[in-house]
């Protein structure tokens, strides 16, 4: 029996391992793409676009605050005069 | 006058105490004689004998007397115990306690994965207490170890929690980036070759190289199957490198990319349908059932957690998984792993090798992910910033954050976080698959 060259064995592991990982992820990618297409076709998107809602809130909040400050300042000035 | 009263009172107290003590002692001896002396009958001792027998049980004596024949403690029981050497029972403990304090420092002052390093390090501290045998089958750490680490239960629970925390939306929006999570697994197999070349046994080398996946639970899972003796060092290495992601990754990312590449902007991601997210964990599980059932314990737990989250009807369960359950298990996992930080198990030359190979594995994974992303950028219609390849190692969400940080340093306003999350969560799946391959080899 020849002596086992473990480095070569490890290289074989590498080929097998990377191959399986890529194969797995490749199939996954394909299935997911297919799934996305099917879902887009049979269950069309009906959720309203959600982004920018918090942004609006923030500006609204800001506007209110500015309004409050202006009101306070005018009140103060009126009292003064 | 008062003094005299006090004196008399004291005298009375003493007399009553001693007489009652005598009575108790007397009772006990008679009882023991009746029980045919299963217990050793108490022999009267002089004060100096008491003092010296107490001295025998102190930690100071146990640490400084190098030849006391103390046994090591192993959760597996007496079969695995051995007499501690002079170094192991004295200096080794002191060194390990210093290492533990360093870990405390890193966790508290530097913020390196404190959630895991604190329990692990404290477990290490407890495991190095002389004479208490806390890591033995009846000690607290040993009980914890046997309860969930020796049978790989805790890593699976952690995976369940991680699944419940993970949002696969970014991956579903741009599925091709999943391949980056595969490329980063090169860290595992590349360092496997390196470890074997360094002279590690091929099975041990496989267990060590899984550190390159940058996945704590997977590392523990594999280490426990392939090289249980090295579990402590492997877990500590895995978690320390996960903690060091912000230090290790950016230089590698910068070295392998040009400035223009780092400034590439990626478009806005498409919205993802709820059904896609719901079906995804099932797809992953089905695929792993078909391709390699060896990895289904990990992927199954992960898919369950994610499915519970995305189903949207069991918020209580998914909430428990991602909060209270994972926190509880983290405490146990940390302490259990810490039991392997006992001096006689950790202070061996292999630990140093594990640390070095772990670092190489981690760097190789990052590098390969970046290179793969560069390649994809060349061939893809949509631009891909090569930085997101670095997120292919599965340290979720740390490495995605690091990628985003480096990206926005290069070009302010360029937010890569969501794009990097795709390869990041694919990395979790990728390293679980890689783990399954390694297990299938050593069946």
């Amino acid at each position: 029996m020849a002596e086992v060259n473990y480095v070569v064995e490890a290289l074989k592991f590498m080929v097998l391992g990377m191959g399986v990982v890529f194969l797995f992820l490749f199939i996954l990618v394909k299935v997911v793409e297919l799934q996305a297409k099917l879902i887009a076709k049979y269950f069309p998107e009906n959720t309203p676009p959600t982004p920018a809602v918090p942004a609006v809130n923030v500006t609204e909040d800001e506007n209110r605050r500015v309004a409050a400050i202006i009101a306070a300042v005018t009140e103060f000035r009126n009292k003064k005069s | 006058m008062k003094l005299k009263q006090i004196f008399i009172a004291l005298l009375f107290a003493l007399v009553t105490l001693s007489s009652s003590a005598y009575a108790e002692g007397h009772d006990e001896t008679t009882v023991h004689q009746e029980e045919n002396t299963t217990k050793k009958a108490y022999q009267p001792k002089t004060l100096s004998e008491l003092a010296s027998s107490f001295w025998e049980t102190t930690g100071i004596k146990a640490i400084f007397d190098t030849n006391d024949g103390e046994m090591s403690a192993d959760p597996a029981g007496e079969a695995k115990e051995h007499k501690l050497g002079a170094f192991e029972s004295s200096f080794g403990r002191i060194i390990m306690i210093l290492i533990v304090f360093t870990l405390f420092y890193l966790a508290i002052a530097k913020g390196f994965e404190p959630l895991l390093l604190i329990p692990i390090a404290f477990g290490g501290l407890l495991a190095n207490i002389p004479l208490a045998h806390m890591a033995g089958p009846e000690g607290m750490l040993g009980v914890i170890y046997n309860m969930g680490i020796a049978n790989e239960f805790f890593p699976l629970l952690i995976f369940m929690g991680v699944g419940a925390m993970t949002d696969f939306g970014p991956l579903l929006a741009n599925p091709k980036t999943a391949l980056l999570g595969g490329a980063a697994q090169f860290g595992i197999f590349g360092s496997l070759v390196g470890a074997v070349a360094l002279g590690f046994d091929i099975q041990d080398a496989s267990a060590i190289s899984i550190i390159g996946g940058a996945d704590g639970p997977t590392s523990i899972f594999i280490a426990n199957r392939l090289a249980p003796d090295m579990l402590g060092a492997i877990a500590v290495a895995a978690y320390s490198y996960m903690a060091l992601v912000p230090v290790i990754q950016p230089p590698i990312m910068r070295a392998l990319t040009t400035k223009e590449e780092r400034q590439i902007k990626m478009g806005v991601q498409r919205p993802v349908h709820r059904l896609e997210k719901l079906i995804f964990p099932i797809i992953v599980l089905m695929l792993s059932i078909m391709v390699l059932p060896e990895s289904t314990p990990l992927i199954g737990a992960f898919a369950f957690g994610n499915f519970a989250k995305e189903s949207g009807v069991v918020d209580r369960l998914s909430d428990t998984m991602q909060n209270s359950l994972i926190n509880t298990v983290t405490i146990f996992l940390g302490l259990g792993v810490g039991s392997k930080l006992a001096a006689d198990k950790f202070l061996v030359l292999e630990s140093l090798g594990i640390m070095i190979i772990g670092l190489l594995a981690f760097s190789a994974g990052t590098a390969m992910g970046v290179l793969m992303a560069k390649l994809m950028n060349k061939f893809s219609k949509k631009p891909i910033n090569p930085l997101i390849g670095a997120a292919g190692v599965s340290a979720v969400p740390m490495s995605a954050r690091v990628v985003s940080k480096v990206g926005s340093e290069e070009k302010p306003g360029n937010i890569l976080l969501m794009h990097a999350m795709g390869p990041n969560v694919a990395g979790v799946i990728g390293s679980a698959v890689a783990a399954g391959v390694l297990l299938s080899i050593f069946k």
Side-chain angles (χ1 to χ4, degrees):
Chain A
M1 274 289 276
E3 203 179 298
V4 186
N5 186 341
Y6 284 109
V7 176
V8 176
E9 289 297 302
L11 282 171
K12 286 185 216 160
F13 288 8
M14 182 159 100
V15 173
L16 175 76
M18 289 307 281
V20 172
V21 170
F22 268 116
L23 182 74
F24 188 94
L25 289 174
F26 185 76
I27 302 174
L28 185 68
V29 169
K30 287 296 154 201
V31 174
V32 165
E33 280 173 353
L34 180 73
Q35 177 206 224
K37 261 184 212 146
L38 288 179
I39 288 178
K41 193 174 168 193
Y42 294 106
F43 304 93
E45 197 73 56
N46 48 11
T47 45
T50 40
V53 171
V56 167
N57 278 349
V58 169
T59 48
E60 237 176 52
D61 216 50
E62 204 64 33
N63 284 343
R64 269 193 211 141
R65 205 190 281 174
V66 171
I69 291 170
I70 290 171
V73 169
T74 32
E75 183 79 21
F76 183 70
R77 276 194 189 145
N78 287 347
K79 261 188 195 163
K80 232 182 169 183
S81 63
Chain B
M1 192 62 194
K2 260 192 176 167
L3 209 71
K4 204 176 172 186
Q5 277 178 342
I6 291 172
F7 186 68
I8 290 169
L10 266 177
L11 209 68
F12 259 107
L14 265 177
V15 167
T16 46
L17 260 178
S18 59
S19 64
S20 69
Y22 174 77
E24 268 171 33
H26 191 74
D27 279 353
E28 256 176 39
T29 45
T30 50
V31 166
H32 279 290
Q33 272 163 0
E34 277 167 16
E35 278 177 0
N36 222 348
T37 58
T38 43
K39 250 190 204 172
K40 225 195 296 178
Y42 179 75
Q43 300 290 331
K45 284 178 182 167
T46 65
L47 204 57
S48 68
E49 275 173 342
L50 278 174
S52 78
S53 78
F54 177 73
W55 169 245
E56 288 289 316
T57 64
T58 56
I60 303 170
K61 193 252 171 194
I63 284 181
F64 285 109
D65 183 1
T66 50
N67 263 327
D68 52 358
E70 196 192 337
M71 299 295 283
S72 72
D74 194 282
E78 279 173 25
K80 283 217 157 189
E81 286 173 6
H82 61 95
K83 211 168 137 186
L84 287 175
F87 173 76
E88 286 167 346
S89 73
S90 59
F91 250 126
R93 290 193 200 279
I94 297 172
I95 294 175
M96 281 316 295
I97 289 174
L98 291 179
I99 291 180
V100 161
F101 284 158
T102 318
L103 291 178
F104 284 156
Y105 171 76
L106 289 178
I108 297 168
K110 300 278 175 186
F112 286 172
E113 294 274 322
L115 286 178
L116 270 148
L117 281 190
I118 295 263
I120 289 181
F122 213 95
L125 185 58
L126 297 180
N128 277 298
I129 297 173
L131 303 176
H133 288 278
M134 290 189 69
E138 267 115 48
M140 176 174 93
L141 300 178
V143 169
I144 292 175
Y145 187 91
N146 286 333
M147 184 167 75
I149 298 183
N151 55 17
E152 295 146 17
F153 182 50
F154 290 159
L156 296 179
L157 286 181
I158 297 269
F159 238 64
M160 210 187 268
V162 173
M165 282 193 237
T166 303
D167 178 12
F168 280 107
L171 179 67
L172 290 164
N174 197 357
K176 279 198 192 69
T177 54
L179 293 178
L180 298 173
Q185 307 312 319
F186 176 76
I188 294 178
F189 295 103
S191 62
L192 170 60
V193 178
V196 171
L198 267 178
F200 274 100
D201 172 63
I202 196 156
Q203 190 161 342
D204 293 347
S206 307
I208 299 165
S209 59
I210 202 83
I211 298 171
D215 195 319
T218 313
S219 302
I220 292 173
F221 188 81
I222 293 293
N224 200 37
R225 287 268 182 104
L226 301 181
D229 293 338
M230 298 183 178
L231 182 81
I234 290 176
V236 170
Y239 282 113
S240 0
Y241 292 135
M242 274 170 78
L244 285 173
V245 162
V247 184
I248 299 173
Q249 285 200 317
I252 301 171
M253 285 151 69
R254 290 200 190 96
L256 291 173
T257 50
T258 62
K259 197 158 176 62
E260 291 78 55
E261 283 172 329
R262 288 197 294 273
Q263 290 182 333
I264 292 176
K265 269 206 161 187
M266 296 178 73
V268 183
Q269 287 183 335
R270 73 173 175 88
V272 175
H273 199 283
R274 194 182 148 238
L275 263 182
E276 286 180 66
K277 287 190 183 178
L278 181 63
I279 298 174
F280 184 76
I282 303 292
I283 294 179
V284 174
L285 187 57
M286 287 297 162
L287 268 179
S288 61
I289 290 170
M290 283 187 282
V291 179
L292 76 172
E294 283 285 337
S295 66
T296 39
L298 286 169
I299 292 185
F302 189 74
F304 169 59
N306 194 251
F307 190 70
K309 170 183 179 251
E310 298 297 352
S311 71
V313 288
V314 283
D315 282 345
R316 277 164 46 184
L317 302 191
S318 93
D319 187 57
T320 304
M321 277 186 245
Q322 47 184 298
N323 295 300
S324 29
L325 181 64
I326 202 169
N327 290 344
T328 313
V329 176
T330 302
I331 294 171
F332 287 153
L333 187 80
L335 288 175
V337 168
S339 76
K340 291 281 176 179
L341 288 187
D344 57 299
K345 301 196 178 58
F346 193 81
L347 284 180
V348 285
L349 202 60
E350 277 111 37
S351 297
L352 194 66
I354 291 170
M355 289 289 170
I356 293 170
I357 296 165
L359 182 62
L360 286 181
F362 200 77
S363 314
T366 308
M368 201 63 180
V370 173
L371 291 178
M372 176 86 181
K374 275 178 87 140
L375 190 75
M376 279 173 75
N377 184 34
K378 290 261 184 341
F379 292 102
S380 161
K381 275 169 261 165
K382 277 189 226 159
I384 291 175
N385 191 317
L387 290 180
I388 66 166
V393 298
S394 51
V396 179
M398 180 91 83
S399 56
R401 281 202 205 119
V402 170
V403 167
S404 190
K405 189 160 163 280
V406 175
S408 60
E409 272 167 17
E410 293 292 334
K411 184 170 191 165
N414 192 7
I415 295 161
L416 296 170
L417 184 65
M418 286 326 265
H419 296 285
M421 279 310 281
N424 213 178
V425 295
V428 178
I429 299 174
S431 53
V433 172
V437 174
L438 288 176
L439 286 180
S440 78
I441 294 172
F442 294 105
K443 254 179 76 102

